[in-house]
Amino acid sequence: MFAIYKKELKSYFLSPTGYITIGVFLLIFSLFFYLTTFLNNGYDMGALYFNTARYGLLIIVPILTMRMFAEERKNGTEQLLLTSPRSITEIVLGKFLAGVSVIVITLVFSLVYYAILCFFKAPSLAPTLVMILGFLLVAMAAISIGMFISSLTENQIISAVITIVFFVSSWFLPNINSSFSIIDLMSSYQKFPAGLISVSEVVNLVGITIVFILLTIIIMQRKKSIK
């Protein structure tokens, strides 16, 4: 798995993908930092991470995940990947963890903004770390969904568009029918911005992540058996 992880992580930064992801994150984070700090003459780290998760991941995750499997299929390297000595589980987890690592790097950059605030009002570090943990859990769930969608198509653009449509739909569908609330990731990111860890929210986000990782493994295993 480590070999797949290393290869995928390296590929993010040998192409514009990794840099675009970090750049988009910093742009959106900076925008909300300006709105919540300078424009309102205060600071709200919870709102900052919540809004960045809601709108930033909508752009970042499709960029990260659209190439995971769709690119392999388009370039004709999927068969080599499926017939490699690595198991499907190792391949899927390696790609997933590489995507998560890019998010972790972006979150490290976000601490620069915390350091800036420390010069003025010194916000508490512990709640900020809880906010970051929640952001990471939401990102992991979103990446697992995007990865699953990428495993279904060979077109990166289609993969990205479907991922975006899925996330946007998850904001509105629960208003139509409450049963759709399970796909709204942000509904499980309500207490983290307040610096509180909710067991139910952690379980929901981790559960969604595991389900979509398993679905991706099943899809890729089926493709392997057909090959």
Side-chain angles (χ1 to χ4, degrees), residues 68-196:
M68 282 186 171
F69 291 102
E71 185 181 46
E72 300 276 4
R73 196 167 299 119
K74 181 180 178 181
N75 294 338
T77 56
E78 183 184 55
Q79 188 170 0
L80 293 175
L81 188 68
L82 295 177
T83 55
S84 69
R86 308 292 176 185
S87 69
I88 295 298
T89 300
E90 287 180 303
I91 293 170
V92 171
L93 289 179
K95 287 177 175 288
F96 171 76
L97 292 176
V100 171
S101 294
V102 177
I103 296 295
V104 171
I105 293 171
T106 64
L107 288 172
V108 170
F109 278 108
S110 75
L111 290 175
V112 172
Y113 296 85
Y114 172 81
I116 293 173
L117 290 178
C118 283
F119 283 103
F120 302 98
K121 296 187 178 181
S124 177
L125 179 60
T128 302
L129 293 178
V130 171
M131 297 169 198
I132 291 176
L133 171 63
F135 187 103
L136 181 60
L137 289 174
V138 172
M140 289 171 62
I143 289 172
S144 69
I145 293 170
M147 181 175 66
F148 169 70
I149 294 172
S150 179
S151 71
L152 298 174
T153 177
E154 65 178 21
N155 189 300
Q156 296 182 50
I157 302 301
I158 292 177
S159 173
V161 169
I162 293 176
T163 303
I164 292 172
V165 169
F166 180 93
F167 292 145
V168 172
S169 298
S170 70
W171 300 348
F172 304 105
L173 288 178
N175 296 326
I176 300 174
N177 192 316
S178 60
S179 60
F180 287 111
S181 60
I182 191 172
I183 66 172
D184 182 12
L185 301 182
M186 298 310 297
S187 67
S188 295
Y189 189 43
Q190 300 297 319
K191 295 184 179 179
F192 285 105
L196 303 173

Side-chain angles (χ1 to χ4, degrees), residues 184-222:
D184 182 12
L185 301 182
M186 298 310 297
S187 67
S188 295
Y189 189 43
Q190 300 297 319
K191 295 184 179 179
F192 285 105
L196 303 173
I197 296 179
S198 169
V199 175
S200 62
E201 291 185 352
V202 172
V203 170
N204 286 342
L205 292 171
V206 172
I208 291 172
T209 302
I210 292 174
V211 166
F212 279 95
I213 287 177
L214 290 175
L215 287 174
T216 305
I217 291 173
I218 292 171
I219 291 295
M220 297 310 297
Q221 191 67 54
R222 187 172 181 180

